[in-house]
Amino acid sequence: KLTQRLLARKTEEEDLDNVLAAYQQELDDVNETIRELKESAAAMEEKNREWRRKYSQTSQQLEQDVTRYHKEQSRLETLKNIAERYDGYGNSIRRVMEQKDRHKGILGVVSDLIQVEKKYEVAIETALGGSIQNIVTEDEETAKQMIAYLKQNRYGRATFLPLTAIRGGQGFARAEALREPGVIGTADKLVTVEDKFTSLAEHLLGRTLVADNIDTGIRLARKYRQSLRIVTLEGDLINPGGAMSGGAFKNSSNLLSRRREIEEFEKTVQKLKQEMTETEQQICGLKDERAGYYEKTDAISAELQKAYVVQNTAKMNADQSSAKIQSFKQQFDNLRNEAAKLDTQINEIMDNQESINICLLYTSPSPRDRSLS
């Protein structure tokens, strides 16, 4: 019976070893899963930190873009208001231009109708002089009506340039001067106007030569006996007869530059608006990216919770199996000890039995004695 119990315990122990191995493998697998999930969680946290950095930078960029946009937009509106009010022009000019919507024959002041590159603005405005504020009309009738309007309201005087009366020049009189070193060209060739204003540009600027600097202007004036009207890029003016004018401008903004500045500001504002829109789109993309990170992080956390449950279960099962194995080993050892004791007792009984048999052999009567008796 002990042998059978020993074999049964041994078999049960081996079965428990297999069960323990299975639980241990399950525990190892879930530990590996937990390790991978923790690595994924750490990587996701790193992505979240990177996202927070990018979001902070992008938000700051958006704030800067918005500030710049509103600043430039404000400057643009200020320039437009100045242009619309004709600030810097005489009162009579402003009063006439207020009537532009009512009288379609009013085309605008000269500065409105001429476009010029920035590098030539000072020279062209100097060449135009007071005529830069002259009012261009379709015909003499419109000019007549506006003169009557100024007289009636005592708004002052203005000069009108009716397109039907203005004739362009016959070209520059001293063509050879155009080939002189330092000469850029006649002023009318340095401006851009609509086709119907070509004669106007020739009338106002066709007899003025543009030179690179005052030294060139003086040299040309002397060579051609003070017969040329010369203006330099810096705004110095030499009139026929030798009179010279020049000096510093009160400000860097002149009447001709207003349209260019408005166009430049419009481009700048449009560019800033585009940049602001792109930054806003980046922020929207980052928010979507953050939502994805949160979703993935939550999923990893849920998987980790499940893995921890499996880990705890597997560990508990493994511990219980180990405890059972230890118990079975103890029982097995006890049975072996009991079997050893029984073996000892059996050996002692067998030894005693042999002694008894020997004693019986010497103490029992022989057959002859039994017959005699």
Side-chain angles (χ1 to χ4, degrees), residues 283-298:
I283 287 180
C284 289
L286 285 172
K287 288 181 178 178
D288 292 340
E289 186 177 343
R290 177 183 61 181
Y293 288 155
Y294 283 166
E295 183 177 348
K296 291 179 181 178
T297 301
D298 291 342

Side-chain angles (χ1 to χ4, degrees), residues 82 85-90 94 133 255 258:
I82 290 174
R85 293 194 306 265
Y86 285 90
D87 287 356
Y89 292 82
R94 293 197 300 272
Q133 297 194 31
L255 299 179
R258 287 183 179 178

Side-chain angles (χ1 to χ4, degrees), residues 78-245:
T78 300
L79 278 176
K80 285 184 175 180
N81 290 334
I82 290 174
E84 290 173 358
R85 293 194 306 265
Y86 285 90
D87 287 356
Y89 292 82
N91 178 64
S92 60
I93 308 301
R94 293 197 300 272
R95 295 297 184 179
V96 171
M97 294 311 298
E98 288 173 358
Q99 304 299 312
K100 185 177 180 180
D101 293 336
R102 299 187 186 93
H103 294 80
K104 301 302 180 183
I106 301 176
L107 301 178
V109 295
V110 169
S111 61
D112 288 338
L113 307 177
I114 291 178
Q115 289 182 304
V116 59
E117 293 183 43
K118 183 177 180 180
K119 60 183 178 180
Y120 300 134
E121 284 175 352
V122 174
I124 298 303
E125 184 157 344
T126 302
L128 287 171
S131 62
I132 196 171
Q133 297 194 31
N134 290 353
I135 301 171
V136 182
T137 62
E138 287 280 4
D139 49 36
E140 294 97 324
E141 183 60 29
T142 303
K144 175 183 173 182
Q145 293 175 8
M146 290 300 99
I147 290 173
Y149 170 75
L150 292 174
K151 287 180 179 179
Q152 181 181 356
N153 295 281
R154 297 181 180 277
Y155 286 146
R157 299 171 62 84
T159 300
F160 296 87
L161 300 173
L163 290 183
T164 52
I166 298 297
R167 294 290 180 268
Q170 302 299 318
F172 191 67
R174 307 298 296 270
E176 64 275 16
L178 296 172
R179 296 186 289 273
E180 293 284 347
V183 173
I184 297 172
T186 54
D188 63 311
K189 303 302 181 184
L190 303 180
V191 300
T192 302
V193 295
E194 295 181 24
D195 291 341
K196 65 180 180 179
F197 300 128
T198 301
S199 295
L200 175 67
E202 292 176 353
H203 170 76
L204 296 173
L205 300 169
R207 293 185 296 276
T208 302
L209 198 66
V210 180
D212 55 0
N213 55 54
I214 194 170
D215 292 329
T216 299
I218 293 172
R219 177 175 58 80
L220 291 173
R222 289 175 178 173
K223 182 174 181 178
Y224 292 93
R225 301 180 182 277
Q226 311 298 334
S227 62
L228 303 178
R229 187 170 189 264
I230 304 169
V231 66
T232 70
L233 295 179
E234 295 180 345
D236 305 306
L237 179 64
I238 302 175
N239 287 298
M244 298 173 63
S245 63

